[in-house]
Amino acid sequence: MRSRFEYILPRSLKEVLDFLGDRGSQTSIIAGGTDLMIAARNGGVASRYVVDVSRLEEMRVIAVTEGALSIGAAVTFTEIVNSPQIAQWAPILAQAAGCVGSVQIRNVGTLGGNVANASPAADSVPPMLVHRARVQIQSASSERSEPLEEVIIGPYRTTLKPGEVITRFILEPLGHEYRWNFQRIARRRALSAARMNAAVIGRLDSRGMVDELRLSVGSITPEPSRMTGAEEHLKGKIPDPLLIQEAAEKVSLEMVRRSGVRVSTEYKRPAVEGLVVKALTELFIKQSCNA
Amino acid sequence: MDGKYHDINSRLLRIFFTLNGKTLEIEVKPWETTLEVLREQLGLKGTKEGCGIGECGACTILVDGLAVDSCLMPAPKLDGRNVETVEGLRQGEALHPLQEAFLSKGAVQCGYCTPGMLMSAKALLDRNPNPERNELVDALSGNLCRCTGYVQILEAAEEAAETLGKIKQPS
């Protein structure tokens, strides 16, 4: 049976925080509702109150200030796709946002919801990790800022406590000197969750050697993270197909080390290697259309 | 909004919105979906439930001009919004050019996905009257059809775009 709850539509972040201060332990936050309403359909929402943050101006701002790209938690994927600031400073996030769900889902689904729901297949997470995203979290009595990889601690598990709400994300803006590439494997281009996805940004120095590389692969480890072994393997070197293949093998070894050998490993090992090879090759060797 | 959402002891929520051009004030249960309110409370059965979990687009409606899955939208979210459903497409006895084109191109077989397809197509054409084929494909990619194979649907949307262009710029 469908979950029943009271629906609260506050007019300011302060109202949200006051409400959470009183009744945070009995409250779920809703933004687009594309995850919460699926859970509610089968009685999966136990909270007495659902607080809607989707209209709060404080949580809907996209701004670039002094080396920081700030994106409100209630910004929708469609808004991310259409944002000139994000196109300029985090185009990989715009590309990934355009892969989420469907037009209908992107029109309401939010960045904050994607992170709070913490699906391993969340398309926004690898791009945010390569932008060293920090998560701004508020409650009635406190405010904290944490690196994204320390907020998502497992499939559908975060460090968010009752009474806390994600208000915005702070990304490191990356200008045109960075190359970027986003890859995704799914059953169907639209309407289907990613089997795995990969975000990579990199930069070559004047001699053609990798001087910056950040790689994150989604859905292959219990908690999202950067693939530092593969990054280090390429840094300071001129990328070539052999080095890229070796880096991809480091990623699949890391996957097995952290997730164990599963029924799906036989598929996932070559799939993730292919995904990483494709991402790094398009990044450094075959200049793709988005470079 | 006058603080009505803060009366947490009240089971029903009063919401005020525009539906197919008419303003409406109704009471909804806070946990109900927009789809349920449209079909059961307001009797607008044009909007269909397919999967119920946002994966098929049969329940697509427009909210402030954007295509959304009404099965995933809590009814309280409608407050203050402009809502369009398939029932709002025709003008009097005349079908909307999209509806005409869906008929003439054979874009309807079982018909279950049709209202959602029409609304997704309308969302695009309202914003972009001359879409490329790939823009149409993208706009309709959140709507599944298990009968037509999509080709006739895309052709119908293109025909409607042409018709709408002629209506808007008589030359």
Side-chain angles (χ1 to χ4, degrees), chain A residues 92-93 96-97 122-132 171 182 198-199 216:
Chain A
I92 193 169
L93 181 63
D123 284 308
S124 70
V125 168
M128 285 210 283
L129 286 178
V130 301
H131 275 270
R132 293 188 174 136
L171 278 64
F182 180 75
S216 175

Side-chain angles (χ1 to χ4, degrees), chain B residues 97-161:
Chain B
L98 271 165
Q99 292 170 308
E100 289 286 2
F102 267 60
L103 290 174
S104 70
K105 290 287 180 186
V108 180
Q109 282 187 34
C110 89
Y112 204 81
C113 74
T114 308
M117 286 284 180
L118 288 166
M119 298 316 286
S120 285
K122 180 172 194 288
L124 175 68
L125 295 184
D126 284 352
R127 197 177 63 245
N128 175 2
N130 298 302
E132 302 290 329
R133 174 60 78 107
N134 68 316
E135 291 171 315
L136 266 173
V137 169
D138 281 348
L140 298 179
S141 63
N143 295 73
L144 299 184
C145 172
R146 289 301 181 234
C147 309
T148 64
Y150 302 102
V151 174
Q152 300 93 321
I153 292 173
L154 292 168
E155 287 173 358
E158 282 172 335
E159 182 172 282

Side-chain angles (χ1 to χ4, degrees), chain A residues 93-115:
Chain A
L93 181 63
Q95 165 110 13
C99 295
V100 172
S102 63
V103 177
Q104 292 92 321
I105 298 293
R106 295 195 289 277
N107 280 341
V108 293
T110 65
L111 199 55
N114 211 213
V115 168

Side-chain angles (χ1 to χ4, degrees), chain B residues 45-67:
Chain B
K45 305 268 184 176
T47 306
K48 308 298 185 210
E49 178 172 74
C51 66
I53 54 171
E55 290 186 357
C56 78
C59 67
T60 302
I61 61 168
L62 306 193
V63 175
D64 287 352
L66 295 175

Side-chain angles (χ1 to χ4, degrees), chain A:
Chain A
M1 205 178 87
R2 184 179 293 281
S3 303
R4 298 190 164 197
F5 41 75
E6 309 284 342
Y7 202 93
I8 322 293
L9 191 44
R11 289 158 293 183
S12 69
L13 182 57
K14 183 176 181 307
E15 273 187 37
V16 172
L17 297 176
D18 287 347
F19 189 90
L20 291 174
D22 283 348
R23 303 182 177 90
S25 61
Q26 298 169 272
T27 302
S28 291
I29 305 283
I30 189 171
T34 56
D35 290 311
L36 186 138
M37 291 301 283
I38 294 175
R41 189 178 163 87
N42 297 315
V45 176
S47 306
R48 176 162 175 206
Y49 307 106
V50 167
V51 171
D52 188 328
V53 297
S54 66
R55 300 191 195 188
L56 301 179
E57 288 309 317
E58 300 97 322
M59 288 173 57
R60 297 192 31 76
V61 175
I62 300 172
V64 189
T65 48
E66 292 172 31
L69 169 61
S70 169
I71 307 174
V75 169
T76 68
F77 294 111
T78 296
E79 288 162 345
I80 288 170
V81 169
N82 293 331
S83 159
Q85 290 110 314
I86 293 175
Q88 183 172 0
W89 297 111
I92 193 169
L93 181 63
Q95 165 110 13
C99 295
V100 172
S102 63
V103 177
Q104 292 92 321
I105 298 293
R106 295 195 289 277
N107 280 341
V108 293
T110 65
L111 199 55
N114 211 213
V115 168
N117 187 55
S119 159
D123 284 308
S124 70
V125 168
M128 285 210 283
L129 286 178
V130 301
H131 275 270
R132 293 188 174 136
R134 297 184 70 84
V135 188
Q136 207 72 27
I137 298 165
Q138 271 187 256
S139 72
S141 56
S142 68
E143 182 163 6
R144 60 189 177 110
S145 168
E146 310 280 353
L148 175 56
E149 53 268 58
E150 289 173 23
V151 173
I152 300 178
I153 52 173
Y156 307 100
R157 286 180 57 223
T158 68
T159 63
L160 289 166
K161 294 190 284 283
E164 286 189 320
V165 59
I166 300 174
T167 54
R168 62 196 169 106
F169 299 91
I170 312 290
L171 278 64
E172 183 185 320
L174 298 172
H176 293 309
E177 69 273 27
Y178 288 90
R179 302 149 180 252
W180 57 274
N181 195 273
F182 180 75
Q183 298 287 339
R184 185 177 197 270
I185 300 176
R187 276 191 184 159
R188 183 180 187 275
R189 198 153 59 83
L191 284 171
S192 134
R195 281 291 158 84
M196 51 181 75
N197 50 24
V200 59
I201 64 108
R203 194 175 57 183
L204 297 177
D205 65 17
S206 55
R207 294 160 299 175
M209 296 198 289
V210 178
D211 76 345
E212 176 73 306
L213 183 64
R214 302 178 202 164
L215 169 68
S216 175
V217 184
S219 289
I220 64 164
T221 51
E223 63 292 309
S225 67
R226 297 249 305 273
M227 292 287 143
T228 49
E231 292 174 359
E232 291 305 323
H233 191 69
L234 283 166
K235 274 190 195 162
K237 298 174 190 149
I238 295 173
D240 66 42
L242 180 64
L243 278 173
I244 285 174
Q245 180 59 40
E246 288 167 357
E249 284 163 18
K250 286 191 183 295
V251 172
S252 72
L253 281 173
E254 176 81 354
M255 171 181 80
V256 174
R257 187 180 70 75
R258 285 166 58 183
S259 298
V261 174
R262 304 174 179 199
V263 179
S264 62
T265 305
E266 196 177 348
Y267 159 75
K268 277 201 156 183
R269 201 189 321 236
V272 75
E273 286 178 17
L275 190 77
V276 171
V277 165
K278 191 164 181 228
L280 291 171
T281 304
E282 286 186 15
L283 189 76
F284 286 128
I285 298 176
K286 273 191 305 204
Q287 286 285 307
S288 67
C289 55
N290 60 32

